[in-house]
Amino acid sequence: YPVLRVLFYPGLRDFLSLPGNERYLTATLHTLVIVVLSTTSATLVGFLFAYTFTRTTVPAKRLFRAVAILPLFSPPFMIAFSYILIFGRNGLVTYTLLGTRYNIIGWHGLWLSQTIAFFPIAALMMEGVLASIAPSLEYAARNLGASGWRLFRTITLPLARPGVAGAALLVAIYILADFGNPVMIAGHYTVLPTEAWARISGWGDVTGAAVLSSVLLVPAFGLFLAQRYWVGRRQYTTITGKVALFAIPPTPWYVKWPLFAFCTTVSVLILLVFLGLVAGAFSRGWGFDYTPTLKHWQDVLQNAQALVHSLVFAAVAATLSSLLSILASYFVSRKVFPGRWMLDFVAILPAAIPGVVFGIGYSLAFNAPPFDLYGTAAIIILSMIFWNIPMGYQTGIGRLKQIAPSLGEAASNMGAGSLKTFWDIELPLLKSSLVSAYVVSFIRAVTTLSVIVFLVTNRNVVATFTILNLANDGYRGAAAALTTALLALTCIVLAMSRLL
């Protein structure tokens, strides 16, 4: 319903005026350019990391993997914000160490930020694909005289191609919908999500924002369908009569050390994000006075309500979202009923909807009686619940495919009804998936900005929105301290979930 409200809120005349609006066309062109650039670089970096993890003997590759996944646990704008602190006009590296007033704000800063932010998604996807390639094929190719580039080009890369394509499409979806990094570092290089936000925050032009959101929805949904098609295709597999274990052959020095240097450089760029954030949180004046201080943490205390709202809203939304997603996956996988395909489609659909579209949709759908929820906690929690359902749903579907239906059938033969079978058999086996769904939903809910930026008022303000305002108003130390506090509290919740 909220998505349909976005699509049908503008009139036909509003859509027909799109080609004549220079700002709209510029934002659309910028979006397409940055999606191509960032997707290409993030996929390439992700592939090199995944290849290092799985097919080489590069030193410290486990450390590289641990560092590579750190961006997945941070707020979406944190990388861009930290790079402004490190490489901006008053940056720790550019100004303090190198003495130059380099300005990272613009398309180049956005490109770097999105590459670092989203390459871990590609790396984790391609890691599984590369790990599944039987080493015996490469040994056979070596025995036949292939080595080096020819071995990689004719054996490894063709077998990994479906995974690379699927990862690239998924990364493109995330980059297309990214709001946090562009609003922080893109400056005048407007893209569709930030232009939609400017329409509402600057001019109160809800119709224009709805038009831009509708335009954004078209490529997002197209990329989503393409990604689903690639993932659902048969991939290249090898079938043998017996599993054979082979050690990874020693990596030649001319491959090992360039890969080591590359992974080290990218890992340093990731660690600089956290270094800049913590340094900014404890420095008196960024760029001119690095005296340690706790004054910015007074701002954290003043904005404690926003932190509490973030944690409470995210915890409630993650709990309900994970329960709904697991129940939906159970009904789709285990029950036969009219409309099952519709439930499957609706449970997956939010994955194709950018957060900006979701946020505008909820602001349009629930701002008037009888469903006037604007400014309440309920509208933020509801938006987070349904935006995060696809993550838990796909986790539950994958887990249920591993659970033999015969277990439930045996319980039914012994007199158990559907509810008892689910409670005693399926649910205990789904416990790990339920916890995983909760963790993913919580991280996305507590760090989201694109969805809630259109729904926040003084009554339901959350930490990410407060951080955005502090950074835009020039209070970078306070913004860094609040981001550090949010990140620390998120890690504590994740540690508790891990312990559970």
Side-chain angles (χ1 to χ4, degrees), residues 441-497:
S441 298
F442 179 83
I443 292 173
R444 282 170 56 88
V446 81
T447 61
T448 186
L449 181 62
S450 59
V451 176
I452 56 90
V453 75
F454 300 96
L455 308 175
V456 167
T457 66
N458 290 333
R459 290 188 295 161
N460 61 2
V461 66
V462 294
T464 50
F465 185 77
T466 305
I467 293 167
L468 174 65
N469 286 336
L470 288 172
N472 287 338
D473 293 341
Y475 299 105
R476 292 179 176 174
L482 191 56
T483 306
T484 303
L486 179 64
L487 191 62
L489 291 172
T490 303
C491 291
I492 291 173
V493 174
L494 292 178
M496 294 171 61
S497 301

Side-chain angles (χ1 to χ4, degrees), residues 254-271:
Y254 52 84
V255 175
K256 177 192 295 185
W257 296 115
L259 282 177
F260 178 81
F262 175 80
C263 292
T264 301
T265 302
V266 175
S267 298
V268 168
L269 286 173
I270 295 173
L271 294 175

Side-chain angles (χ1 to χ4, degrees), residues 150-164:
R150 185 180 182 188
L151 174 65
F152 175 80
R153 180 176 57 85
T154 59
I155 301 296
T156 308
L157 188 59
L159 290 172
R161 192 177 297 144
V164 173

